Amino acid sequence: MTPPAALTVYYDGACPLCSAEIRTYRRSRGAERLAFVNVSGDDAPATLGPDLSREAARARFHVRDEQGRLASGASGFIRLWRELPGWGWLASLASLPGMPILAETAYRGFLPLRPHLAKLFSRFSGTSCDTASRPPKA
């Protein structure tokens, strides 16, 4: 029997920028203990839990821990970095007093730019870009 994942990472596989970032994490030491769930496309799970819709998961980064607790945005990244040994330093830095608020503010500033950056990334990397990846409505 396979033990439960230490963390489930939900990502927008239709976004080439997001997919490239997830590929980096998947190659990291310790990534075998994590479950990566592409929430885009026809093979995406129908349900991600009562507190997470596919639309929300595509619009913003989310992770779920073994206890079922959901974290999103900067706090989701901090949880992910804590689970990957090579990224612990970044989790520690982002957890310093005041840093989680600053990181979340920066993440929210990035969200409206994500579709445009994904298109640029797609153009330069030669990957396709699904423009359905949109920031959440305010």
Side-chain angles (χ1 to χ4, degrees), residues 31 71 106 123 129:
R123 184 177 305 152
C129 181

Side-chain angles (χ1 to χ4, degrees), residues 1-129:
M1 187 162 104
T2 306
L7 201 66
T8 300
V9 178
Y10 302 100
Y11 70 98
D12 181 1
C15 170
L17 192 61
C18 305
S19 292
E21 182 176 17
I22 292 300
R23 278 193 301 276
T24 299
Y25 296 135
R26 282 185 149 170
R27 287 192 297 260
S28 297
R29 190 174 39 123
E32 68 280 354
R33 296 179 299 115
L34 309 180
F36 292 90
V37 178
N38 177 355
V39 297
S40 301
D42 296 334
D43 59 344
T47 180
L48 304 173
D51 53 350
L52 183 61
S53 69
R54 280 182 61 189
E55 180 180 288
R58 287 191 72 192
R60 188 174 163 84
F61 182 74
H62 291 80
V63 298
R64 187 180 306 280
D65 67 17
E66 289 176 284
Q67 289 76 37
R69 294 177 298 223
L70 198 61
S72 70
S75 62
F77 280 104
I78 293 168
R79 285 289 294 121
L80 171 61
W81 298 332
R82 266 196 198 110
E83 292 296 329
L84 297 172
W87 295 83
W89 66 272
L90 192 52
S92 295
L93 179 66
S95 298
L96 290 172
M99 288 300 291
I101 293 168
L102 183 61
E104 180 62 26
T105 301
Y107 182 73
R108 287 180 185 210
F110 161 80
L111 286 176
L113 302 175
R114 183 174 80 130
H116 308 291
L117 294 173
K119 284 181 185 177
L120 281 174
F121 181 84
S122 179
R123 184 177 305 152
F124 291 110
S125 68
T127 58
S128 65
C129 181

